[in-house]
Amino acid sequence: MKKIILTGDRPTGRLHIGHYVGSLRRRVELQNSGEYDEIYVFIADAQALTDNIDNPEKVRQNVIEVALDYLAAGLDPEKTTIFIQSQIPELCELSFYYMDLVTVSRLQRNPTVKTEIKMRGFNESIPVGFFTYPISQAADITAFKANIVPVGEDQEPMLEQAREIVRKFNSVYGPVLVEPEILLPENSACLRLPGTDGKAKMSKSLGNCIYLSDPSDVVWAKVKGMYTDPGHLQVSDPGKVEGNTVFTYLDAFCRPEHFGRFADCFVGKKQSFTFNSLDELKDQYRAGGLGDMMVKKFLYEVLEDTLAPMRARRAMFEQDIPAVYEMLRKGCERARAKASKTLAEVRNAMKINYFDDAELISQQSEMFKNK
Ligand code: TRP
């Protein structure tokens, strides 16, 4: 079987380092591994509109921001088809048919939809499009026959629902669609990176994000202000590593080579340390004597090691926005070709392909002649 990857992001803001470790970094690795037959990464503007219907300008402005973040992170339009959801009308048609395969009560039980409805305070006024977005997401995935979907763990219920739709469709109409599997980050720190304030999730509304496109002075200011261990008052006090956001970020970003390259961070006026691994650094922090500032300086260097080259690539692409739109237009064209092929198979299986079915027409003409 072909190995086909698909994933996407809602364009409601610039992408932050939570997106990066949760999915974007992995996508770039998968892309460059050369092991996959097709890779689709898309900007889910239609899904973003399901709860931003009165704010189309916000969604539109963020489409280009997300596209720039993709290119900056290393997605390569030669290897990955990058497209915009709303430009693929086939997805709407698939969703329309899938709606008959899902019950209202099943949607009401989707845990992600449930939490999101609460978070957004919809109460009794849930937009139908928002309520049914798991169905449209199943269309996004199945239109491309994707079997590998790299996303965060909050998307598991969406994948489960998509698999149910595939099974139902295939059992009723025949084996047309492919069941997708989720691909989660391996490292638990990357599953859900907390905000800089230590809160469970990075979110724009909480103002606790480090964006991929933040300038270096902003990154430093955010790292400096990060939540650590509130019990670590004196440098000499023992510190906690678990639940300490600085260490969670190191778990997500730090590589062994960083200890050699950024050894200077641990040379101070009063004390100096040499560490060869994150475990050694953690041990020292737990034992006491290691100040937060030193660890933060190191984290900043570690983050910048990833962010600085991305910032430079972004600046380059920002110089030619028409070319970025042209890249997206081509991506949409390629994506549409694939989606319309699947749609034709779906229509065929559902027996709504009247004009392509010569046999149907001749059979019925015989039947009516012989009446
Ligand atoms: N719901 C996803 C998110 O909020 C975005 C998305 C839409 C998606 N359609 C998808 C992700 C299909 C993977 C596959 O991040």
Side-chain angles (χ1 to χ4, degrees):
M1 189 161 61
K2 272 194 170 181
K3 287 160 99 179
I4 302 177
I5 294 180
L6 174 130
T7 186
D9 300 279
R10 295 184 197 180
T12 52
R14 289 178 291 150
L15 300 183
H16 51 62
I17 60 173
H19 294 113
Y20 184 72
V21 297
S23 172
L24 195 48
R25 175 166 66 188
R26 176 60 98 54
R27 294 178 204 171
V28 176
E29 286 166 10
L30 296 171
Q31 166 195 275
N32 295 336
S33 75
E35 283 177 27
Y36 296 88
D37 298 290
E38 295 167 35
I39 307 178
Y40 299 92
V41 174
F42 76 105
I43 304 172
D45 61 337
Q47 187 176 106
L49 285 168
T50 62
D51 64 331
N52 284 286
I53 200 63
D54 50 358
N55 210 346
E57 194 54 33
K58 171 175 120 184
V59 173
R60 175 223 277 278
Q61 294 302 337
N62 282 308
V63 167
I64 190 74
E65 296 283 1
V66 172
L68 288 165
D69 286 332
Y70 284 169
L71 295 168
L75 286 182
D76 173 357
E78 298 289 318
K79 299 179 184 150
T80 296
T81 300
I82 305 175
F83 67 96
I84 308 174
Q85 186 186 28
S86 63
Q87 304 307 299
I88 319 297
E90 287 76 9
L91 299 177
C92 303
E93 193 174 330
L94 284 175
S95 304
F96 189 66
Y97 303 139
Y98 294 171
M99 283 190 190
D100 302 330
L101 308 174
V102 180
T103 64
V104 171
S105 68
R106 175 64 183 85
L107 278 172
Q108 278 167 336
R109 281 197 316 265
N110 184 310
T112 301
V113 175
K114 255 197 203 157
T115 339
E116 288 181 327
I117 285 171
K118 265 206 214 100
M119 248 165 53
R120 287 166 175 72
F122 282 141
N123 300 316
E124 296 307 304
S125 329
I126 309 163
V128 173
F130 184 82
F131 180 61
T132 56
Y133 92 74
I135 301 177
S136 106
Q137 190 155 333
D140 300 336
I141 297 167
T142 54
F144 300 92
K145 305 224 167 150
N147 45 9
I148 304 152
V149 180
V151 281
E153 61 175 346
D154 61 317
Q155 296 295 304
E156 178 66 69
M158 303 297 152
L159 271 286
E160 187 52 42
Q161 188 129 34
R163 283 192 290 271
E164 281 174 35
I165 290 173
V166 168
R167 287 198 284 268
K168 179 92 188 167
F169 185 98
N170 288 352
S171 77
V172 177
Y173 303 115
V176 172
L177 303 178
V178 176
E179 279 192 45
E181 292 298 330
I182 193 166
L183 186 64
L184 292 170
E186 317 96 344
N187 173 332
S188 72
C190 300
L191 271 178
R192 184 162 298 193
L193 201 70
T196 50
D197 55 358
K199 296 239 168 65
K201 203 176 165 168
M202 245 189 212
S203 109
K204 196 167 72 175
S205 52
L206 295 174
N208 60 2
C209 308
I210 295 176
Y211 293 98
L212 298 180
S213 48
D214 276 343
S216 57
D217 57 329
V218 172
V219 174
W220 172 235
K222 288 178 178 177
V223 169
K224 216 164 51 176
M226 266 173 75
Y227 176 87
T228 58
D229 168 12
H232 190 233
L233 296 173
Q234 309 274 340
V235 170
S236 55
D237 290 341
K240 269 217 253 357
V241 166
E242 286 70 32
N244 182 327
T245 316
V246 173
F247 282 94
T248 310
Y249 285 17
L250 284 174
D251 282 332
F253 281 94
C254 180
R255 294 191 302 272
E257 75 197 67
H258 289 145
F259 289 93
R261 285 174 48 208
F262 308 131
D264 284 359
C265 297
F266 301 111
V267 178
K269 287 198 195 82
K270 292 189 201 132
Q271 296 155 300
S272 294
F273 301 91
T274 316
F275 301 114
N276 295 303
S277 70
L278 192 48
D279 284 337
E280 285 182 23
L281 175 66
K282 286 179 178 176
D283 285 345
Q284 184 66 60
Y285 192 81
R286 286 195 186 98
L290 177 59
D292 280 353
M293 222 34 197
M294 269 190 176
V295 192
K296 284 181 170 175
K297 189 84 189 70
F298 179 65
L299 172 62
Y300 167 74
E301 295 297 346
V302 166
L303 288 177
E304 278 294 288
D305 193 39
T306 297
L307 297 180
M310 287 177 54
R311 205 178 285 128
R313 266 202 302 276
R314 196 185 216 269
M316 194 185 77
F317 287 110
E318 283 173 354
Q319 294 312 304
D320 197 352
I321 293 298
V324 177
Y325 275 105
E326 185 52 23
M327 176 282 289
L328 288 168
R329 199 183 58 74
K330 286 198 187 122
C332 289
E333 242 169 51
R334 252 188 286 162
R336 252 199 109 170
K338 172 84 187 220
S340 67
K341 209 164 145 255
T342 305
L343 181 60
E345 293 170 29
V346 161
R347 283 160 157 262
N348 218 15
M350 292 179 71
K351 302 195 178 299
I352 49 176
N353 59 334
Y354 312 100
F355 311 126
D356 303 331
D357 194 342
E359 202 187 321
L360 169 80
I361 299 172
S362 75
Q363 190 192 24
Q364 288 183 342
S365 54
E366 284 308 305
M367 179 177 88
F368 284 105
K369 256 188 240 153
N370 299 331
K371 207 163 68 172

